[in-house]
Amino acid sequence: MSSSPAEEASEPEAPKLVTIPQIPALLEAVGLKRVGPARIRQLAAEDEEWPAAVFEDGRTRIFEWGAVEAYFRGRKTRQGERTDLKAKE
């Protein structure tokens, strides 16, 4: 089997994998509002919509960037809303 440029171009691109400390800079790079690592950790722990990690080992979690970017693009923010006062279901 030869490795021609046409064959190489048809190979699917591997997903970009990221850790939480890398996400804030990547959000800015694609034109989204920067969110700090602490807030991202909180979202990952509390938000059911947060994408699942593709790898976990101890405290290290690795996520697929495409899923994280889609999460932040579709996320509805509620700035100033007191969610701590709402009744827990």
Side-chain angles (χ1 to χ4, degrees):
M1 289 185 192
S2 66
S3 180
S4 68
E7 289 177 18
E8 290 177 12
S10 66
E11 292 181 19
E13 189 174 317
K16 182 174 184 172
L17 302 176
V18 297
T19 60
I20 288 177
Q22 295 171 319
I23 294 173
L26 290 170
L27 289 172
E28 279 187 328
V30 297
L32 293 171
K33 182 181 177 192
R34 182 183 184 96
V35 178
R39 177 65 176 140
I40 294 171
R41 284 184 193 92
Q42 183 181 24
L43 289 170
E46 297 176 358
D47 193 343
E48 295 174 2
E49 301 294 319
W50 182 261
V54 294
F55 176 79
E56 285 189 56
D57 185 23
R59 293 177 53 190
T60 303
R61 292 178 286 174
I62 298 177
F63 302 93
E64 183 182 344
W65 168 243
V68 173
E69 182 182 5
Y71 169 83
F72 279 104
R73 288 197 185 277
R75 183 170 170 256
K76 303 279 189 260
T77 60
R78 301 179 316 261
Q79 294 180 344
E81 185 177 332
R82 294 286 306 266
T83 57
D84 60 325
L85 299 178
K86 291 188 176 187
K88 304 257 183 200
E89 293 182 17

